[in-house]
Amino acid sequence: MSALSRDAIRTMMAEVLQAQGKSMPADDSANLEEIGFRSLDFSELALRVEDEIGDELNFDAPELRQIATISDVLDFLEQLQAA
């Protein structure tokens, strides 16, 4: 399994948003609710990451509830890949 870089995950996240006519802010501290990134979008992003790394990620993590910003998403997906 090869891990994706933070930049690669960020690019995928931008693609998920772009598909809905939304844009990725430059600031990773942007609130997900404010940019319209929903739980379904997170699921799509996670599936893209899994496809890219060729492995399943374990989402039984309580940290999911604490995700509120772009940076939180990137941190979370990086941590899952390292687990």
Side-chain angles (χ1 to χ4, degrees), residues 11 13-14 18 24 32-33 39 42 45 56 66 69-70 77 79 82:
T11 298
M13 188 174 185
Q18 186 178 14
M24 181 79 157
L32 297 177
E33 204 171 293
S39 59
F42 180 85
L45 175 61
E56 286 189 32
Q66 299 170 4
T69 66
I70 292 171
L77 290 173
Q79 290 170 5

Side-chain angles (χ1 to χ4, degrees), residues 41-52 55 57 59:
D41 301 323
F42 180 85
S43 296
E44 182 178 341
L45 175 61
L47 287 172
R48 287 181 182 213
V49 170
E50 287 178 338
D51 285 347
E52 196 67 31
D55 198 9
L57 300 173
F59 289 95

Side-chain angles (χ1 to χ4, degrees), residues 2-76:
S2 64
L4 292 174
S5 71
R6 187 178 187 88
D7 286 339
I9 296 170
R10 192 178 200 292
T11 298
M12 288 178 173
M13 188 174 185
E15 290 168 356
V16 169
L17 284 166
Q18 186 178 14
Q20 300 174 24
K22 301 171 187 168
S23 60
M24 181 79 157
D27 184 4
D28 283 355
S29 67
N31 185 286
L32 297 177
E33 204 171 293
E34 292 173 8
I35 64 170
F37 193 81
R38 305 161 302 164
S39 59
L40 186 60
D41 301 323
F42 180 85
S43 296
E44 182 178 341
L45 175 61
L47 287 172
R48 287 181 182 213
V49 170
E50 287 178 338
D51 285 347
E52 196 67 31
I53 65 173
D55 198 9
E56 286 189 32
L57 300 173
N58 179 6
F59 289 95
D60 294 335
E63 295 89 22
L64 268 176
R65 296 190 201 313
Q66 299 170 4
I67 292 176
T69 66
I70 292 171
S71 186
D72 292 343
V73 171
L74 300 175
D75 292 345
F76 183 72

